């Protein structure tokens, strides 16, 4: 089954997702807010504040049909309007209590309303320009959902310091694992000339609190190797400037062997002084173009990318060498932990890919410099619909870490299937590693609070491209939104986050909110049911990873086997098997080791289980498989029906686009159901107890 390509649309036509401002029809509300929004006063008259004020002005114009004055003069009428200023400004300070000032962090903001007989003021205060832009979008959103101004009081600070989007964009304009059109940054091996779309993208990202973007693929090949040179840096500096206006730093993925490719050196050995010198010079040049450059993202010794192992050096040697070059400028090295043997022999049952990241990195804990961050995929394999949380979280107390989540739906339906990922991500973030006793949640590790790290946070592999709606499937916009919101505050409730997205994107019609919320919150569960439940994973077509193929990866080199035979399926990863469970805290080791205690949705990840094994429900494993696939494919009808009920209540184009994809989802879910059920039936010869049609 091939993934269906999105039809090309003109580059200049696109929606603005949750920032498509619609007119507020509520006259009563309008009357109440007018005094607060008829003027915008900026107290720090610089480029960034003016930009924030213009964002607010544009929004107010579109939402309320009034055009506020922006005033930057020293004479200010503080009776009516929105006041935007920095902490420290004496006018602003007059309105603030000591305690509230102390609560505003570097990227945070405060929104406070002063309403008296003579004054109607909204105060928007921050410590930095980034805080101002985040606060501006928050204020716009509050106004859009008609928040009660008399009680509006918000102090917000992001929990995690790094909230970065990773683009896997290639310079020819293609996107590795991209399902929403071509790159918005590159085409024909050049940086795109018009940055209009990049600017709108920056607006979208700032509105969800993102503060970093890596614009090129981690597989750095061909022309992309040269992005760190003056050949491309002038253009990259323009991209960086566009992002800077919205509080976002630019990062670049690099090829570890660049000193050879670009510098003409004979080696890229991280301990070779000439190699270090070359990187120092390169970094110096980058910062001369981009003074606030974020740093490098590195995929080394992974899937045919060069790295320190080539020279018999460790990953700490490699990362630290780059970190030393970046340190004087405040840059960081984000080093990926996705290192494993991708040339495994399927006959080898001793090697377990799931163990690889931990085995490669755990021994290096404490060896990385402070400006190195290890970027760890959420699970030990590769963004399957369900995997256990990587044991590296909580396994390396002395190493900064970021969690890598995949917003793009490589294994979760490629934006043809609706699969809202917020529910899965929330479960991951709430996982208690027990590394420092009860309460050592993944969210507390990656936000830095558990170990007091300076650099840590969230990386999300982008799901956007130049398609009309950015994400191919209109409802997949919710995944980008949710990634940003959870990175900002991993304690947020997924229901709340999803609901806010619906309100801002589709309005507050009760049925619309209710149905879309149901659709989103149930979609991952449904997708899992008709694809690979119980932690099985990998039954996809090799290469493009779309559609079912139960043995697609069974006899390959990638180390992703389920080893099904006629009696049993799954890999024994317990302490008596491959020993993977030993990488976890003893609390989890015991649970995962024990087939009775192991969470059932991960059963086949940790255990090799006979088809006749009875699950907690009393069903046999094989019957569960059949039921799950029949029910999952059936439940897609509920998604369709709930969407269909919204006909006429949603913009027609969006409605039709989603309907079309739901139709494809249904067809492809049936394909999954039939292929997987037939596979198991043929393997086992055990019929479905309910006698449903399984193709023999
Ligand atoms: C960018 C998986 C994907 C690759 C991806 C890789 C990675 O293997 O299939 O497309 O490469 O992960 O995360 O580096």
């Amino acid at each position: 089954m091939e993934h269906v390509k999105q039809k090309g649309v003109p580059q200049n036509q696109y929606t603005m997702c949750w920032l498509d401002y619609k007119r507020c029809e509520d006259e009563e509300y309008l009357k109440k807010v007018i005094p607060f929004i008829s003027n915008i006063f900026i107290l720090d008259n610089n480029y960034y504040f003016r930009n924030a004020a213009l964002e607010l002005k544009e929004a107010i114009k579109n939402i309320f049909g009034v055009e506020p004055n922006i005033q930057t003069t020293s004479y200010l009428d503080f009776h009516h309007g929105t006041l935007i200023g920095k902490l420290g400004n004496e006018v602003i300070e007059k309105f603030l209590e000591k305690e509230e000032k102390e609560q505003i962090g570097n990227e945070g903001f405060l929104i406070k309303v002063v309403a008296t007989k003579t004054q109607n003021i909204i105060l928007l205060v921050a410590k930095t320009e980034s805080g101002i832009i985040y606060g501006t979008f928050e204020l716009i959103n509050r106004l859009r959902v008609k928040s009660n101004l008399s009680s509006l009081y918000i102090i917000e600070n992001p929990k995690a310091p790094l909230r970065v989007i990773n683009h896997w964009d290639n310079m020819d304009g293609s996107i590795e694992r991209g399902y929403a059109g071509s790159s918005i940054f590159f085409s024909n091996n050049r940086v795109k000339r018009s940055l209009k779309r990049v600017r709108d993208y920056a607006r979208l990202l700032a509105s969800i609190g993102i503060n970093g973007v890596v614009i090129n693929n981690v597989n750095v090949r061909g022309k992309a190797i040269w992005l760190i040179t003056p050949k491309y840096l002038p253009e990259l500096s323009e991209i960086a400037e566009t992002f800077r206006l919205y509080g976002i730093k630019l990062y670049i993925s690099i090829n570890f062997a660049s000193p050879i490719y670009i510098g003409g050196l004979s080696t890229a050995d991280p301990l070779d002084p000439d190699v270090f010198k070359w990187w120092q010079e390169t970094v110096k040049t980058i910062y001369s173009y981009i003074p606030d450059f974020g740093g490098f993202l590195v995929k080394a010794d992974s899937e045919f990318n060069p790295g320190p192992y080539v020279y018999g050096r460790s990953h700490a040697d490699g990362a630290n060498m780059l970190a030393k070059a970046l340190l004087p400028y405040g840059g960081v090295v984000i080093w990926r932990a996705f290192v494993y043997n991708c040339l495994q022999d399927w006959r080898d049952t001793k090697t377990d890919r799931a163990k690889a990241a931990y085995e490669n990195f755990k021994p290096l804990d404490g060896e990385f410099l402070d400006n190195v961050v290890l970027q760890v995929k959420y699970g030990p394999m590769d963004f399957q619909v369900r995997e256990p949380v990587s044991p590296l979280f909580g396994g390396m107390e002395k190493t900064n870490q970021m969690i890598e989540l995949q917003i793009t739906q490589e294994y979760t339906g490629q934006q043809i299937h609706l699969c809202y990922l917020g529910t899965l991500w929330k479960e991951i973030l709430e996982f208690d590693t027990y590394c420092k006793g009860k309460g050592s949640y993944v969210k507390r590790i990656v936000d830095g609070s558990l170990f007091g790290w300076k650099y840590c946070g969230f990386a999300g592999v982008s799901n956007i491209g130049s398609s009309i709606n950015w994400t191919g499937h209109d409802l997949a916009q919710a995944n980008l939104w949710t990634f940003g919101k959870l990175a900002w505050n991993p304690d947020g409730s997924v229901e709340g986050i999803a609901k806010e997205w619906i309100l801002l994107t589709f309005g507050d019609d009760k049925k619309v909110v209710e149905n879309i919320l149901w659709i989103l919150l149930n979609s991952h569960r449904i997708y899992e049911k008709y694809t690979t439940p119980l932690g099985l994973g990998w039954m996809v077509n090799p290469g493009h990873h779309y559609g079912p193929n139960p043995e697609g990866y069974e006899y390959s080199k990638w180390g992703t086997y389920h080893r099904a035979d006629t009696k049993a399926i799954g890999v024994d990863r317990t302490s008596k098997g491959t020993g993977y469970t030993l990488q976890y805290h003893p609390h989890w080791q015991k649970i995962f080791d024990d087939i009775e205690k192991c969470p059932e949705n991960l059963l086949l990840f940790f255990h090799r289980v006979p088809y006749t094994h009875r699950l907690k429900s009393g069903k046999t494993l094989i019957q569960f498989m059949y039921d799950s696939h029949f029910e999952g494919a059936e439940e897609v009808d509920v998604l369709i029906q709930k969407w269909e009920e919204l006909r006429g209540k949603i913009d027609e184009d969006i409605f039709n686009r989603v309907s079309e994809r739901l139709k494809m989802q249904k067809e492809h879910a049936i394909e999954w159901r039939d292929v997987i059920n037939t596979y198991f039936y043929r393997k086992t010869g055990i019929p479905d107890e309910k006698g449903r049609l399984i193709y023999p």
Side-chain angles (χ1 to χ4, degrees):
M1 189 182 283
E2 282 290 345
H3 177 268
V4 186
K5 289 245 157 60
Q6 168 105 2
K7 284 186 218 108
V9 289
Q11 295 290 306
N12 56 355
Q13 276 181 27
Y14 50 88
T15 68
M16 271 310 286
C17 311
W18 55 88
L19 292 185
D20 260 332
Y21 303 134
K22 290 178 196 72
R23 183 58 62 87
C24 168
E25 307 289 353
D26 185 339
E27 290 296 323
E28 278 301 299
Y29 190 69
L30 180 62
K31 254 191 245 154
K32 279 189 206 147
V33 296
I34 281 280
F36 294 91
I37 56 172
S38 46
N39 294 297
I40 300 171
F41 303 117
I42 14 178
L43 299 180
D44 298 72
N45 186 16
N46 70 28
Y47 192 44
Y48 302 96
F49 277 72
R50 268 202 306 282
N51 183 49
L54 285 170
E55 278 290 345
L56 185 59
K57 177 178 170 161
E58 198 52 27
I60 290 171
K61 208 169 89 186
N62 283 296
I63 304 163
F64 300 110
V66 296
E67 198 158 338
N69 294 313
I70 297 182
Q71 300 194 28
T72 54
T73 55
S74 53
Y75 171 76
L76 299 171
D77 167 14
F78 290 131
H79 293 284
H80 304 291
T82 300
L83 194 57
I84 304 180
K86 252 195 206 172
L87 269 187
N89 180 300
E90 54 178 324
V91 177
I92 289 283
E93 300 263 326
K94 276 194 209 140
F95 290 99
L96 302 178
E97 306 289 333
K98 186 167 171 276
E99 301 78 59
E100 46 192 7
K101 286 192 269 185
E102 284 167 2
Q103 284 178 56
I104 308 174
N106 252 344
E107 294 180 283
F109 59 84
L110 170 141
I111 298 173
K112 177 175 173 175
V113 169
V114 180
T116 63
K117 275 196 187 132
T118 53
Q119 282 183 315
N120 290 298
I121 295 173
I122 301 176
L123 277 180
L124 167 54
V125 185
K127 232 181 197 165
T128 60
E129 278 74 10
S130 312
I132 290 293
I133 196 73
Y134 297 142
T136 301
F137 282 112
E138 183 63 29
L139 175 58
I140 293 171
N141 288 346
R142 291 298 110 226
L143 293 172
R144 290 175 67 201
V145 296
K146 298 192 281 188
S147 293
N148 182 352
L149 287 191
S150 56
S151 57
L152 188 65
Y153 185 83
I154 303 170
I155 297 184
E156 281 269 342
N157 290 294
K159 291 246 160 72
L162 297 173
R163 305 175 304 279
V164 181
I165 300 289
N166 290 188
H167 284 266
W168 289 353
D169 292 23
N170 300 315
M171 290 201 62
D172 63 2
S174 64
I175 303 177
E176 184 156 345
R177 313 307 179 191
Y179 313 105
S182 54
S183 170
I184 63 164
F185 301 110
F186 308 111
S187 73
N188 293 324
N189 288 314
R190 298 217 51 94
V191 175
K192 280 191 173 178
R193 266 193 223 109
S194 163
L195 293 185
K196 181 178 178 302
R197 187 130 190 192
V198 173
R199 187 180 169 122
D200 278 335
Y201 182 46
R203 298 175 59 226
L204 284 170
L205 293 188
S207 75
I208 53 172
I210 296 298
N211 67 359
V213 171
V214 189
I215 57 169
N216 65 310
N217 191 352
V218 284
N219 292 320
V220 188
R221 314 233 157 91
K223 295 266 195 308
I225 299 174
W226 295 79
L227 280 170
I228 50 177
T229 69
K231 196 170 169 208
Y232 293 108
L233 284 169
E235 286 147 312
L236 292 196
S237 86
E238 283 174 32
I239 294 187
E241 196 182 325
T242 308
F243 278 125
R244 186 176 303 125
L245 206 46
Y246 289 91
I248 298 163
K249 281 187 179 177
L250 182 78
Y251 295 73
I252 303 177
S253 299
I254 55 140
N255 184 308
F256 195 75
S258 297
I260 301 175
Y261 290 121
I262 305 171
L265 302 189
S266 59
T267 178
D269 181 348
L271 299 191
D272 184 305
D274 287 337
V275 170
F276 177 57
K277 217 165 126 222
W278 185 87
W279 278 111
Q280 270 186 317
E281 284 304 310
T282 300
V283 166
K284 191 172 163 201
T285 310
I286 296 173
Y287 278 90
S288 71
Y289 286 90
I290 309 170
D292 61 345
F293 179 63
F296 296 142
L297 173 62
V298 196
K299 174 174 177 177
D301 293 311
S302 169
E303 298 184 337
F304 313 109
N305 289 276
Y309 282 167
V310 178
Y311 307 97
R313 310 297 185 194
S314 77
H315 280 247
D317 292 332
N320 290 346
M321 181 270 296
L322 294 170
K324 272 187 215 143
L326 287 158
L327 190 64
Y329 309 92
V332 297
V333 175
I334 304 177
W335 192 269
R336 293 178 92 226
F338 185 58
V339 178
Y340 67 99
N341 174 14
C342 65
L343 292 173
Q344 198 183 320
D345 185 337
W346 59 268
R347 298 167 192 85
D348 164 15
T349 52
K350 296 277 171 295
T351 310
D352 180 4
R353 171 167 161 181
K355 290 166 71 179
Y358 189 94
E359 282 174 346
N360 278 291
F361 287 93
K362 169 74 181 170
L364 302 177
D365 194 19
E367 289 187 22
F368 291 98
L369 291 179
D370 285 349
N371 61 331
V372 175
V373 192
L374 197 61
Q375 183 167 303
V376 183
K377 287 192 181 184
Y378 93 75
M381 298 297 269
D382 193 15
F383 302 130
Q384 298 304 292
V385 66
R386 174 88 52 188
E387 291 184 31
V389 164
S390 167
L392 278 175
F393 296 115
M396 295 178 76
E397 303 193 6
K398 293 178 236 125
T399 306
N400 300 320
Q401 287 182 353
M402 289 173 86
I403 189 167
E404 184 174 323
L405 300 170
Q406 199 181 39
I407 315 173
T408 192
Q409 293 172 231
E410 176 178 0
Y411 298 97
T412 49
Q414 306 197 350
Q415 280 129 262
I416 293 293
H417 298 243
L418 174 60
C419 189
Y420 175 65
L421 294 164
T423 39
L424 172 71
W425 295 338
K426 186 66 182 169
E427 279 185 50
I428 294 160
L429 294 168
E430 295 295 337
F431 179 77
D432 191 347
T433 65
Y434 276 83
C435 64
K436 269 182 105 180
K438 205 164 159 33
S440 305
Y441 303 111
V442 170
K443 64 182 179 182
R444 293 287 87 89
I445 292 171
V446 297
D447 73 12
S449 56
L450 197 70
F451 298 124
W453 295 331
K454 181 172 172 201
Y455 296 110
C456 49
F458 289 72
V461 183
S462 161
N463 64 346
I464 72 110
S466 58
S467 64
I468 193 163
N469 54 11
W470 300 82
T471 51
H473 198 311
D474 286 79
L475 299 188
Q477 291 168 7
N479 283 331
L480 178 58
W481 163 271
T482 302
F483 172 80
K485 289 286 166 180
L486 283 176
W488 181 275
N489 178 14
D491 291 322
S493 98
V494 173
E495 288 80 359
I497 290 173
K499 191 167 169 199
E500 194 184 354
W501 176 77
I502 300 166
L503 288 170
L504 295 171
T505 310
F506 295 106
D508 60 1
D509 179 282
K510 199 165 164 279
K511 187 84 185 155
V512 169
V513 176
E514 202 179 283
N515 281 22
I516 300 183
L517 194 60
W518 193 96
I519 288 173
L520 292 180
L521 296 182
N522 286 281
S523 58
H524 177 268
R525 180 183 64 75
I526 293 173
Y527 182 82
E528 185 176 20
K529 280 179 91 169
Y530 65 73
T531 56
T532 50
L534 304 179
L536 191 50
W538 292 110
M539 287 191 162
V540 288
N541 280 304
H544 60 69
H545 296 167
Y546 191 77
N549 188 339
E551 298 204 332
Y553 275 106
E554 214 36 37
Y555 303 100
S556 74
K557 60 193 176 193
W558 297 97
T560 54
Y561 318 112
H562 54 70
R563 303 194 190 278
D565 62 18
T566 58
K567 300 271 178 297
I569 184 168
V571 177
D572 180 359
R573 293 195 163 99
T574 66
S575 47
K576 297 202 180 79
T578 70
Y580 168 69
T581 55
L582 296 169
Q583 296 182 345
Y584 287 91
H585 184 276
H587 171 87
W588 284 111
Q589 237 175 63
K590 282 191 213 113
I591 292 176
F592 292 146
D593 259 0
D594 184 342
I595 195 166
E596 296 304 327
K597 295 201 178 112
C598 179
E600 225 155 54
N601 57 11
L602 288 168
L603 188 67
L604 298 180
F605 193 95
F606 285 106
H607 294 273
R608 180 158 185 81
V609 185
Y611 297 109
T612 50
H613 172 83
R614 295 230 172 244
L615 303 179
K616 291 191 187 95
S617 60
K619 278 183 196 179
T620 59
L621 171 64
I622 187 73
Q623 192 55 41
F624 177 91
M625 277 293 175
Y626 293 148
D627 287 352
S628 178
H629 285 85
F630 279 115
E631 285 166 19
E634 191 84 13
E635 283 176 57
V636 177
D637 288 336
V638 186
L639 300 178
I640 294 174
Q641 177 213 322
K642 289 208 179 276
W643 185 252
E644 195 53 45
E645 283 167 13
L646 306 182
R647 187 182 283 279
K649 287 176 177 282
I650 289 210
D651 171 275
E652 209 182 323
D653 288 344
I654 297 178
F655 183 85
N656 290 338
R657 280 200 298 266
V658 171
S659 297
E660 211 179 292
R661 290 199 175 218
L662 284 170
K663 206 170 135 231
M664 283 194 267
Q665 177 169 4
K666 176 71 192 180
E667 278 167 30
H668 299 176
I670 288 173
E671 186 71 2
W672 269 100
R673 177 195 73 190
D674 291 344
V675 170
I676 304 292
N677 281 346
T678 294
Y679 176 73
F680 282 120
Y681 178 65
R682 287 185 184 166
K683 275 266 170 207
T684 64
I686 303 174
D688 171 34
E689 280 171 4
K690 296 179 187 151
R692 289 162 293 194
L693 178 60
I694 294 180
Y695 297 83

